[in-house]
Amino acid sequence: MNRPSRIRIGRPLAWACLILAVVISLFPLYWMLRTAITPGRELAGDNAGLLPRHPTLLNFERVLGLTTREEARAAGGSGADLDFFRYLGNSILYTGLVTAVQTLLCAMAGYAFARLRFPGRDLLFGMFVAALMVPPIFTLLPNFVLVKELGWLDTVPGLVAPSLLMTPFAVFFLRQFFLGVPRDVEQAALIDGAGKGLIFWRVVLPMSRGPLLTLALTTAVWTWNDYLWPLLVAPGEETRVLTAALGIFLKQSPNTAPDWTGLMAGSVLSIIPVLLLVVFFGRRLVDSIQFSGMKG
């Protein structure tokens, strides 16, 4: 006797929820791109279709400095200046320094907390974990006063100082991974005459490529999107990063209405380096996780 087939709605419902979540997550990016290719004079009245009636790349040309002020204003722009490539270079320098140095030093600190024995180790690590509960906004003013007293305002050292050395989460994250590294591998290296430093550089770090890449990617994305701290300590042209420059670009609009098309064009261009970084290292991250034995 054939039993009537049951209608299972669990899987279709899960897929529907997943698709809805993806659409909600990607919609702001779509709208940002749509606004960026909309002519400035048509922005207020052209918001019904999926694409603008007269798409244009002129807003990107304005942001990149490929048009004159008169041409920008004729197209509905504000005529505000944005030295895009200088600010892009500052952002790359800021992100690269913080990501490289912080990842390396946090790996060293995490390994020390996981493997080395020294007086006060557990107390010190407890203080690191407790620092996770301190909102970053609480340390903003003390860091600013310290950078100002050191005379580092509007300099690269002042820009990278608060986050260059390490962060509590990064140390905690890598320490937990190093605790799971088999001690037999390190003991074999000790028998061969290797010291703790050589074991860290030649044995442990190659086995930790997955966590290190994960930490480096999250640090790079967070640093690239940082806005408030660079705005406070690096307002000058020579050290201004791209996120702060876009905010200033919007406020410099001499028109009555903000230059939303120019701002969205600049925002689209600003996320391209991060997307390239994720795409380039995404596959390497998966391979590294499989190599390091983190795959479930």
Side-chain angles (χ1 to χ4, degrees), residues 81-92:
D81 294 326
L82 180 65
D83 194 347
F84 183 85
F85 291 104
R86 171 185 286 181
Y87 304 144
L88 177 65
N90 292 339
S91 291
I92 293 175

Side-chain angles (χ1 to χ4, degrees), residues 22-32:
V22 171
V23 171
I24 294 175
S25 301
L26 294 181
F27 183 79
L29 296 178
Y30 151 74
W31 198 256
M32 179 175 65

Side-chain angles (χ1 to χ4, degrees), residues 74-195:
S78 64
D81 294 326
L82 180 65
D83 194 347
F84 183 85
F85 291 104
R86 171 185 286 181
Y87 304 144
L88 177 65
N90 292 339
S91 291
I92 293 175
L93 177 63
Y94 174 44
T95 303
L97 279 176
V98 172
T99 301
V101 178
Q102 184 185 122
T103 301
L104 175 61
L105 295 183
C106 287
M108 298 172 68
Y111 183 75
F113 281 124
R115 287 292 189 262
L116 303 184
R117 295 183 178 275
F118 53 89
R121 183 192 66 173
D122 295 338
L123 177 61
L124 184 59
F125 181 71
M127 295 173 61
F128 266 90
V129 174
L132 290 172
M133 297 182 289
V134 179
I137 194 66
F138 286 179
T139 61
L140 186 67
L141 183 58
N143 285 335
F144 176 78
V145 173
L146 178 60
V147 168
K148 181 179 179 181
E149 292 297 325
L150 291 173
W152 285 357
L153 290 180
D154 248 342
T155 64
V156 174
L159 185 62
V160 303
S163 52
L164 183 67
L165 299 181
M166 60 184 64
T167 59
F169 169 76
V171 174
F172 173 78
F173 173 74
L174 292 177
R175 184 250 187 188
Q176 297 305 112
F177 173 80
F178 290 142
L179 287 175
V181 174
R183 291 182 178 270
D184 296 342
V185 179
E186 299 176 61
Q187 290 174 355
L190 282 173
I191 294 175
D192 290 339

Side-chain angles (χ1 to χ4, degrees), residues 25-293:
S25 301
L26 294 181
F27 183 79
L29 296 178
Y30 151 74
W31 198 256
M32 179 175 65
L33 180 60
R34 186 192 185 282
T35 305
I37 61 177
T38 302
R41 296 188 180 278
E42 301 179 8
L43 180 62
D46 186 10
N47 53 13
L50 293 177
L51 292 175
R53 289 192 296 266
H54 305 97
T56 179
L57 297 178
L58 182 60
N59 297 319
F60 293 97
E61 295 176 3
R62 292 197 293 114
V63 170
L64 294 175
L66 302 179
T67 60
T68 62
R69 284 193 175 184
E70 290 72 20
E71 292 173 338
R73 290 174 178 171
S78 64
D81 294 326
L82 180 65
D83 194 347
F84 183 85
F85 291 104
R86 171 185 286 181
Y87 304 144
L88 177 65
N90 292 339
S91 291
I92 293 175
L93 177 63
Y94 174 44
T95 303
L97 279 176
V98 172
T99 301
V101 178
Q102 184 185 122
T103 301
L104 175 61
L105 295 183
C106 287
M108 298 172 68
Y111 183 75
F113 281 124
R115 287 292 189 262
L116 303 184
R117 295 183 178 275
F118 53 89
R121 183 192 66 173
D122 295 338
L123 177 61
L124 184 59
F125 181 71
M127 295 173 61
F128 266 90
V129 174
L132 290 172
M133 297 182 289
V134 179
I137 194 66
F138 286 179
T139 61
L140 186 67
L141 183 58
N143 285 335
F144 176 78
V145 173
L146 178 60
V147 168
K148 181 179 179 181
E149 292 297 325
L150 291 173
W152 285 357
L153 290 180
D154 248 342
T155 64
V156 174
L159 185 62
V160 303
S163 52
L164 183 67
L165 299 181
M166 60 184 64
T167 59
F169 169 76
V171 174
F172 173 78
F173 173 74
L174 292 177
R175 184 250 187 188
Q176 297 305 112
F177 173 80
F178 290 142
L179 287 175
V181 174
R183 291 182 178 270
D184 296 342
V185 179
E186 299 176 61
Q187 290 174 355
L190 282 173
I191 294 175
D192 290 339
K196 288 291 185 180
L198 186 61
I199 292 174
F200 173 74
W201 288 104
R202 301 295 297 272
V203 178
V204 177
L205 280 188
M207 297 177 62
S208 310
R209 286 185 295 179
L212 290 176
L213 273 178
T214 302
L215 180 62
L217 281 176
T218 55
T219 303
V221 173
W222 178 86
T223 307
W224 184 269
N225 294 328
D226 194 13
Y227 173 74
L228 184 56
W229 177 253
L231 182 66
L232 287 176
V233 301
E237 291 283 336
E238 297 297 327
T239 54
R240 184 180 299 162
V241 299
L242 193 54
T243 51
L246 289 174
I248 295 175
F249 170 79
L250 183 64
K251 296 176 182 178
Q252 285 178 344
S253 175
N255 298 339
T256 56
D259 187 0
W260 294 115
T261 55
L263 178 65
M264 293 300 105
S267 300
V268 170
L269 293 175
S270 70
I271 67 174
I272 291 178
V274 178
L275 291 178
L276 293 177
L277 188 68
V278 173
V279 170
F280 180 75
F281 286 104
R283 183 59 187 174
R284 294 190 177 189
L285 176 60
V286 174
D287 295 339
S288 299
I289 290 176
Q290 294 175 354
F291 170 79
S292 60

